[in-house]
Amino acid sequence: MSRRSLLRAFGAGAAGATLAGCGVPAAYVQPGDRAGRDFSATDHTLRFANWPLYIDTDDEDESKRPTLDTFTERTGISVGYTEEINDNDEFFGKISPALMNHQQTGRDLIVISDWMAARFVRLGWVQEMDRTEQPNVAKYLDPQLRSPGFDQGRLHSVPWQSGITGIAYNRKKLGREIKHTSDLWAADLRGKVTLLSGLDESFALLMQGNGVDVTRWTRDDFYTTCDQVEKLVKEKHIRRFTGNDYIKDLSTGDVLACQAYSGDVIQLQADNPEIEFVVPEEGAELWAESLMIPNLARHKRSAEKLIDYYYEPEVAAELATWVNYVCPVPAAREVLASAKDEETAALAEDPLVFPDDAMRRRLAIARDITSEERAEFAKKWNSVVGL
């Protein structure tokens, strides 16, 4: 089971979305109030909150995490690693009371999806990192991920892993190729297609299928997409909207094609090579889930050191062999290519881990839904999806 299989549909954290969307003045933290006393020099510990199944584990003892263990051996910094993030909105609700009230969260490092990271940046809830302490990040970060709209220059965030939202399908059962998003709407796929239920997870690919440049999509583009999907729902062309349970539907054959995440499909292909993943000709969305340092973190310098450690190509390569998402360190490809193990070396040639130039030309990072747009768009999308 992949880490993304644990995500829940958008909508669980309506209160958090409303807070961020309305821009409550009391919630915003001024730049001068974000940093706390740093105990890194005297207290060699670090608290790191991440998603389940999102880090390498030892083959014989799943409680051991080799890359973290190596970091501790090298630096003397003990990492308290917790797999406590199961949903972006849920986690927002968990730590937002502390952040809006200028209190410590008890965490030095967190990993959240970039659309949620945008809220944290807007609210001033995360600290700017010192890149002079992160030479590997400066040198090796994937150029395509260096400057998202919500965090120009990546001053407050660093991708942990990246991925692609595209189309997965069973080529053998369908009996033909899928090359375009519009291929999902073919008559022989009626009732055999699923789309992702989450607004932030689904809208970009659908807009791209309509020829929209998602780096600057408009309100009209959004409503055109909603009208299109609503019509397909009424025609019973779309079987249902899913979280990550599309994996089961695709595996059993109940669904022949669906909106999907690249990392999930790599794992599905290990059991069923007939499953294929497609970056449509019109394009697909490139996204990231990023490391951030919350306000008043007690071990900021240690957190920056850990982030930079994971940007060493050898370490990034080791992590990539386990999580199977798009590696944000392209230089890790050469490390994997030289591996003696054939299966490991093969990952270096997998475009879903290291996209080639042809695929990259079809990938785009969608502009974020603004705080002013979110409440309106979420209400509309949820009415279409039935949430």
Side-chain angles (χ1 to χ4, degrees):
M1 180 173 62
S2 77
R3 195 276 306 157
R4 271 195 169 262
S5 300
L6 301 173
L7 292 178
R8 294 203 299 267
F10 174 83
T18 301
L19 169 66
C22 293
V24 179
Y28 180 76
V29 178
Q30 297 290 340
D33 297 326
R34 297 173 191 174
R37 182 181 174 188
D38 195 317
F39 293 87
S40 297
T42 56
D43 182 6
H44 299 153
T45 61
L46 173 67
R47 294 196 62 182
F48 181 4
N50 205 347
W51 302 75
L53 306 176
Y54 217 18
I55 200 169
D56 54 304
T57 57
D58 186 273
D59 288 334
E60 297 179 359
D61 185 350
E62 292 186 357
S63 66
K64 294 182 178 180
R65 302 177 177 93
T67 55
L68 279 182
D69 293 342
T70 299
F71 175 77
T72 298
E73 292 169 6
R74 184 189 299 184
T75 65
I77 300 170
S78 176
V79 182
Y81 185 85
T82 57
E83 297 183 332
E84 64 170 312
I85 306 175
N86 292 300
D87 175 86
N88 284 288
D89 287 297
E90 178 189 77
F91 189 66
F92 182 98
K94 181 186 290 187
I95 69 173
S96 60
L99 290 164
M100 73 174 65
N101 288 298
H102 308 269
Q103 297 171 352
Q104 295 174 4
T105 67
R107 302 159 183 87
D108 300 298
L109 202 56
I110 61 175
V111 177
I112 53 179
S113 300
D114 273 358
W115 62 267
M116 177 59 79
R119 297 188 198 175
F120 279 69
V121 172
R122 283 197 298 266
L123 289 166
W125 286 2
V126 288
Q127 299 183 60
E128 185 173 323
M129 298 183 202
D130 183 357
R131 289 288 183 258
T132 64
E133 298 293 323
Q134 298 177 315
N136 291 319
V137 173
K139 182 176 181 180
Y140 293 117
L141 173 58
D142 186 339
Q144 204 164 5
L145 297 171
R146 282 185 181 270
S147 195
F150 74 90
D151 188 18
Q152 292 293 324
R154 282 283 183 190
L155 299 176
H156 305 86
S157 62
V158 174
W160 171 250
Q161 294 292 287
S162 184
I164 303 167
T165 301
I167 297 171
Y169 73 106
N170 190 315
R171 183 171 181 173
K172 183 176 181 179
K173 290 186 177 180
L174 183 58
R176 60 180 170 83
E177 282 186 284
I178 286 180
K179 294 183 178 181
H180 306 274
T181 302
S182 60
D183 291 342
L184 292 174
W185 320 138
D188 61 342
L189 278 172
R190 183 175 183 270
K192 294 290 186 178
V193 173
T194 62
L195 299 179
L196 295 170
S197 59
L199 169 61
D200 296 273
E201 289 79 15
S202 55
F203 78 92
L205 179 74
L206 301 176
M207 285 187 187
Q208 287 167 307
N210 292 333
V212 174
D213 177 357
V214 293
T215 65
R216 51 182 183 179
W217 59 271
T218 67
R219 185 176 185 275
D220 287 345
D221 295 327
F222 173 76
Y223 278 98
T224 296
T225 298
C226 287
D227 291 344
Q228 177 187 29
V229 174
E230 198 164 27
K231 181 174 183 290
L232 290 163
V233 170
K234 290 178 180 178
E235 294 173 349
K236 301 188 184 302
H237 188 92
I238 296 172
R239 182 183 181 90
R240 67 189 185 104
F241 295 87
T242 73
N244 287 76
D245 42 342
Y246 71 79
I247 295 171
K248 181 179 178 182
D249 291 342
L250 191 61
S251 298
T252 60
D254 290 337
V255 162
L256 297 183
C258 60
Q259 201 171 22
Y261 302 119
S262 55
D264 288 341
V265 176
I266 290 177
Q267 297 183 26
L268 282 172
Q269 289 171 334
D271 297 321
N272 186 352
E274 301 300 333
I275 302 295
E276 295 197 12
F277 184 86
V278 178
V279 172
E281 295 295 328
E282 302 83 13
E285 182 187 16
L286 179 69
W287 46 262
E289 286 168 328
S290 292
L291 297 145
M292 307 183 89
I293 300 174
N295 289 354
L296 305 181
R298 293 167 59 88
H299 308 95
K300 181 175 184 284
R301 287 195 298 276
S302 292
E304 290 169 338
K305 187 174 293 186
L306 180 63
I307 293 170
D308 201 55
Y309 164 76
Y310 273 102
Y311 269 71
E312 294 180 13
E314 294 78 12
V315 179
E318 187 172 356
L319 184 60
T321 62
W322 281 86
V323 298
N324 293 164
Y325 277 93
V326 175
C327 180
V329 183
R333 181 178 180 275
E334 294 182 14
V335 177
L336 291 176
S338 63
K340 294 180 180 179
D341 179 75
E342 290 185 6
E343 185 175 345
T344 300
L347 279 177
E349 304 305 320
D350 192 327
L352 299 187
V353 179
F354 298 98
D356 55 29
D357 290 342
M359 181 177 287
R360 281 187 180 276
R361 285 193 289 270
R362 301 200 304 277
L363 299 177
I365 298 176
R367 81 155 176 87
D368 183 48
I369 298 172
T370 68
S371 56
E372 293 77 20
E373 294 168 332
R374 182 162 293 278
E376 175 192 348
F377 288 1
K379 181 179 180 180
K380 175 60 179 178
W381 179 254
N382 289 347
S383 71
V384 173
V385 173
L387 291 177

